[in-house]
Amino acid sequence: MDTNRIKAVVLFSGGLDSILASQLILEQGIDLEGVNFKSVFLARDEALPVADKLKLRLKVFDITDQHIRISRFPEYGHGKNMNPCLDCRIVMLKKAAEYMKETGASFLVTGEVLGERPMSQRKAAFNLIEKVTGLKGRILRPLSAKLLEPTFPEIEGLVKREGLLDIQGRSRNRQMKLAEQRGIDYYPTPAGVCLLTDPGFSN
């Protein structure tokens, strides 16, 4: 591998959004490594086989202890049920930031889509998360980037903004069309991953 190539770390769940976000960055010739998080509350475990399809090296972190703690005492509150989405996202991004420094990566990538999740995927939430994690300008959200302020990798020319997208809202229609265009047929059916969002489980 060319040590001069640009490197990034992607938060990779194995779902459609994270697959597409990864693909968009790989298409720009950037070396990408994935981080995945497991916990007693995270119901799915498809990230490894999907990462293999993308030839993506994947580092898995167990955040069970933190997840239990923040589900009981979330600094930024619960969602509709017991889900501490903002606190959880902050935990994941802090771990990813540590790995970014460890691997010499320049920035982080996520599959977040503006307006897709009511608690954690709003502009105000994005700004809060970046402030708390100290990652302002270092989190690139390729699927919604054109609706957000340019990030460090865009400003520095590491990533071409014209190759990023302007998706927003809860519909997955555009993502599914993009997957079809790229021959991506190995993504799971979109559904809730965290058990804490389920009313029965939360009760």
Side-chain angles (χ1 to χ4, degrees):
M1 184 179 71
D2 183 353
T3 55
N4 293 317
R5 283 170 63 102
I6 302 160
K7 189 173 189 177
V9 169
V10 60
L11 275 67
F12 193 81
S13 68
L16 178 56
D17 291 340
S18 66
I19 293 171
L20 289 173
S22 299
Q23 189 66 41
L24 288 170
I25 297 305
L26 289 169
E27 287 172 4
Q28 296 212 23
I30 293 170
D31 287 329
L32 198 59
E33 288 200 32
V35 291
N36 177 257
F37 301 92
K38 68 177 184 178
S39 156
V40 292
F41 300 130
L42 299 178
R44 285 181 165 175
D45 191 23
E46 63 259 320
L48 282 169
V50 175
D52 285 342
K53 294 275 189 181
L54 289 171
K55 295 181 173 56
L56 191 70
R57 179 182 169 190
L58 196 65
K59 174 78 172 180
V60 180
F61 292 98
D62 189 329
I63 60 167
T64 294
D65 289 344
Q66 296 102 313
H67 212 173
I68 290 172
R69 177 177 52 79
I70 62 176
S71 69
R72 295 179 64 199
F73 308 109
E75 184 173 353
Y76 298 102
H78 292 106
K80 187 176 180 182
N81 296 293
M82 280 291 290
N83 46 306
C85 293
L86 284 173
D87 292 80
C88 187
R89 204 67 184 166
I90 288 166
V91 166
M92 290 180 177
L93 283 163
K94 283 183 175 180
K95 284 281 187 187
E98 291 172 7
Y99 191 65
M100 179 182 74
K101 292 177 181 177
E102 181 183 325
T103 57
S106 300
F107 60 97
L108 297 178
V109 176
T110 81
E112 292 168 302
V113 171
L114 186 64
E116 189 173 274
R117 298 185 187 278
M119 187 174 185
S120 62
Q121 295 185 19
R122 300 171 289 112
K123 284 186 180 180
F126 290 164
N127 291 336
L128 172 65
I129 288 168
E130 292 189 8
K131 180 179 179 181
V132 172
T133 59
L135 289 167
K136 185 171 177 58
R138 295 276 175 175
I139 304 172
L140 177 62
R141 301 171 172 92
L143 299 182
S144 294
K146 288 184 177 178
L147 301 171
L148 304 168
E149 290 295 318
T151 56
F152 161 79
E154 296 166 82
I155 294 168
E156 294 296 314
L158 307 181
V159 173
K160 295 177 181 176
R161 190 170 173 86
E162 59 266 27
L164 307 176
L165 303 177
D166 59 354
I167 300 174
Q168 66 179 322
R170 306 193 73 169
S171 171
R172 301 293 178 91
N173 289 338
R174 282 188 65 186
Q175 290 96 310
M176 293 167 82
K177 287 179 182 177
L178 286 166
E180 184 179 359
Q181 290 167 3
R182 286 167 166 77
I184 297 170
D185 59 3
Y186 45 81
Y187 60 90
T189 302
V193 174
C194 182
L195 292 172
L196 295 172
T197 63
D198 179 79
F201 186 88
S202 288
N203 287 336

